[in-house]
Amino acid sequence: MTEDQNINLIWAAGALVLVASALFSRRIGFGEIVRTALAWVAIFAVFIVAFSYKDQILGVWNHVSSEVTGQNDQQIDGTTLRIRQSADGHFWVNAMVNNKPVRFLIDSGATTTAMNLNTAKQTNIDLSKFNFPVILSTANGDVEAQRGAIQNLQIGPMNIQELPVVVAEAFGDSNVIGMNFLSKLYSWRVEGNEMILEPSPIE
């Protein structure tokens, strides 16, 4: 459990104690106290879950809202791809991996593009050429990952062949575009709330 989650639980426990004290100080039946207390427990549980998974919830909300409103978070301008910053502060991109859609987080701090195991299986990532796993240092500790290659990665007007990728079940639902993709571009930069990707002339 993370430090933020521990703080949330302590705060929620304190709030529940205050609510319970207020309920018992009132002259109401025990059954009504129990029902009210359970209602408050449910409210605090929803709050804690929502706060703990705020990034994932914001990602889903951005995706759904863009579908409903018709406003895409990425636009192609000639050969340039412009990606609007999401409400969670990150840049997400819709890509095609071996002709199958995958949503990636763009992370310039990641050396290598990474995919979770389920997505890698669904998109037929080739893991057969590399027999030995690698150990990666992540925020959650060391992770053993398999090395592979994306045979064909298309992001907007950019198309990359045989891009190295690391795959691990420990990545959860995450898929990350790393520097090994960004370094193949002519340029990439952030201007205001947009990330701008420009392909190499040889693409």
Side-chain angles (χ1 to χ4, degrees):
M1 184 174 292
T2 66
E3 182 178 350
D4 286 342
Q5 288 175 325
N6 285 328
I7 293 173
N8 291 339
L9 287 175
I10 293 171
W11 181 87
L16 285 173
V17 169
L18 290 176
V19 171
S21 299
L23 288 175
F24 282 106
S25 67
R26 298 168 56 190
R27 294 184 177 180
I28 59 177
F30 181 75
E32 182 65 22
I33 290 176
V34 171
R35 286 192 294 271
T36 305
L38 289 176
W40 277 106
V41 168
I43 291 171
F44 284 119
V46 170
F47 171 80
I48 292 172
V49 170
F51 186 83
S52 299
Y53 295 94
K54 59 183 182 301
D55 289 343
Q56 293 88 335
I57 293 172
L58 283 171
V60 173
W61 170 255
N62 290 332
H63 180 70
V64 172
S65 62
S66 65
E67 293 289 336
V68 173
T69 63
Q71 295 180 344
N72 201 341
D73 56 2
Q74 59 191 62
Q75 298 290 334
I76 298 176
D77 182 10
T79 59
T80 299
L81 179 64
R82 295 178 176 271
I83 304 169
R84 186 176 57 192
Q85 188 178 38
S86 296
D88 60 9
H90 299 299
F91 293 95
W92 297 84
V93 66
N94 298 317
M96 296 295 291
V97 176
N98 299 331
N99 297 317
K100 295 184 179 180
V102 176
R103 189 164 175 83
F104 285 91
L105 167 68
I106 300 179
D107 183 4
S108 60
T111 303
T112 306
T113 295
M115 297 178 66
N116 66 72
L117 184 58
N118 287 337
T119 303
K121 289 179 178 179
Q122 292 168 4
T123 54
N124 300 317
I125 297 300
D126 185 6
L127 301 174
S128 62
K129 297 179 181 178
F130 307 94
N131 295 323
F132 299 101
V134 294
I135 303 299
L136 304 176
S137 295
T138 71
N140 296 320
D142 291 340
V143 171
E144 183 177 295
Q146 296 174 273
R147 294 181 297 162
I150 300 176
Q151 295 92 319
N152 184 57
L153 174 64
Q154 183 176 354
I155 298 179
M158 290 151 283
N159 199 300
I160 303 295
Q161 308 292 324
E162 298 297 325
L163 181 73
V165 63
V166 289
V167 175
E169 187 174 5
F171 294 157
D173 296 327
S174 300
N175 300 296
V176 175
I177 292 292
M179 279 301 302
N180 68 328
F181 171 83
L182 296 175
S183 63
K184 293 180 178 294
L185 305 180
Y186 175 73
S187 72
W188 65 273
R189 62 190 184 277
V190 176
E191 293 183 356
N193 65 345
E194 280 190 333
M195 175 176 280
I196 301 171
L197 307 181
E198 296 184 4
S200 170
I202 63 173
E203 293 294 329

